[in-house]
């Protein structure tokens, strides 16, 4: 299993990046969290990965932290939740928000994730409630809140934040004018690129 990659970022266009590892270009589908933390092209990064092998495809998924990857793998345990939907969950909700939704049976927030219906949200809560207890996620989330995520991805310079945030929304299926307006509406409330995109997604979901 490929659990981590270190290489040079050659291309990024949500949800894909191409990572050059010793001359081999790996195509990796990444979460919004990781995408918003990517540096400029041709910079070296280290990411955590999940390698998925299916009858019709072999795919790599990339994450900004071990916690994000582990939560993604937790979602894959749920009947009816495949890698695409799990990636959507991790791109819309932070690790901390995922744990809070499951603990509090917040199916409303889960249902706002693209592709997650009411029944799927209920199934996630039921099937993952015991799992997060067994895996000690309450303690892990507390640790995350006390310190930055462990990763080697550098943040973009300030001038790249709005551009990358708009690109992220376009990559999620929103038209450019809508993405630009959503980002401008919430930009004053955000401290990081990831927060900027998440706030924009919530704003769009409420319309």
């Amino acid at each position: 299993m490929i659990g981590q990659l270190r290489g040079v970022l050659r291309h990024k266009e949500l949800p894909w990046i191409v990572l050059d590892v010793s001359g081999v270009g790996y195509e990796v589908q990444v979460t919004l969290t990781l995408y918003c933390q990517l540096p400029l092209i041709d910079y070296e990064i280290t990411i955590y990965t999940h390698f998925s092998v299916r009858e019709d495809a072999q795919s790599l998924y990339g994450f900004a932290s071990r916690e994000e990857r582990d939560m993604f793998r937790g979602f894959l345990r749920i009947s009816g939740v495949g890698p695409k939907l799990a990636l959507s969950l991790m791109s819309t909700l932070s690790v901390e928000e995922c744990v809070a939704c499951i603990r509090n049976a917040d199916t409303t927030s889960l249902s706002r994730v693209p592709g997650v219906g009411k029944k799927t949200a209920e199934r996630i809560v039921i099937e993952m409630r015991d799992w997060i207890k067994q895996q000690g996620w309450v303690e892990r989330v507390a640790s995350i809140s006390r310190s930055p995520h462990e990763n080697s991805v550098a943040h973009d310079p300030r001038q790249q934040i709005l551009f990358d945030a708009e690109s992220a929304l376009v990559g999620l299926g929103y038209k450019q004018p809508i993405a630009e307006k959503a980002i401008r509406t919430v930009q004053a409330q955000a401290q990081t690129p990831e927060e900027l995109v998440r706030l924009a997604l919530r704003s769009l979901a409420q319309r």
Side-chain angles (χ1 to χ4, degrees):
M1 180 178 291
I2 303 173
Q4 180 175 295
L5 287 175
R6 180 177 182 178
V8 178
L9 182 65
R10 296 302 189 194
H11 179 75
K12 58 178 180 178
E13 184 176 354
L14 196 72
W16 295 93
I17 67 170
V18 175
L19 199 60
D20 184 338
V21 181
S22 300
V24 178
Y26 288 88
E27 288 189 342
V28 186
Q29 293 187 61
V30 301
T31 63
L32 179 61
T33 303
L34 175 55
Y35 185 85
C36 288
Q37 294 180 14
L38 291 173
L40 299 176
I41 298 300
D42 295 333
Y43 276 71
E44 185 176 84
I45 61 173
T46 298
I47 63 174
Y48 297 97
T49 58
H50 174 82
F51 184 45
S52 174
V53 179
R54 313 179 90 175
E55 291 184 2
D56 57 345
Q58 296 184 19
S59 305
L60 268 172
Y61 299 90
F63 309 91
S65 67
R66 288 192 180 93
E67 288 79 13
E68 194 177 49
R69 182 187 61 189
D70 292 349
M71 182 60 67
F72 172 87
R73 288 173 172 172
F75 283 128
L76 293 181
R77 299 170 58 257
I78 308 302
S79 174
V81 177
K84 183 177 180 180
L85 187 53
L87 196 71
S88 180
L89 281 157
M90 297 310 307
S91 291
T92 306
L93 302 169
S94 67
V95 172
E96 296 90 333
E97 289 170 334
C98 288
V99 173
C101 285
I102 295 166
R103 291 186 68 196
N104 301 326
D106 185 0
T107 56
T108 299
S109 294
L110 288 171
S111 297
R112 293 197 184 106
V113 176
V116 177
K118 182 178 180 181
K119 290 184 178 179
T120 301
E122 292 173 347
R123 191 160 58 247
I124 288 172
V125 169
I126 293 171
E127 296 188 28
M128 291 191 70
R129 185 178 292 154
D130 291 338
W131 180 78
I132 64 170
K133 292 180 181 178
Q134 295 169 359
Q135 299 295 318
W137 274 102
V138 175
E139 292 75 17
R140 294 182 71 176
V141 166
S143 177
I144 293 172
S145 66
R146 290 194 297 269
S147 60
H149 288 308
E150 178 190 349
N151 65 75
S152 301
V153 179
H155 287 277
D156 276 339
R158 180 63 188 177
Q159 63 267 27
Q160 285 289 316
I161 292 177
L162 295 180
F163 174 79
D164 282 347
E166 290 176 17
S167 297
L169 288 181
V170 171
L172 291 172
Y174 293 97
K175 294 187 179 299
Q176 181 65 38
I178 295 175
E180 182 178 356
K181 182 177 180 181
I183 293 299
R184 289 182 176 179
T185 299
V186 300
Q187 62 179 318
Q189 306 171 42
Q191 301 299 317
T192 67
E194 181 187 352
E195 290 175 352
L196 181 61
V197 180
R198 292 193 193 281
L199 286 173
L201 284 171
R202 290 171 186 168
S203 174
L204 288 166
Q206 293 172 358
R207 295 181 182 178

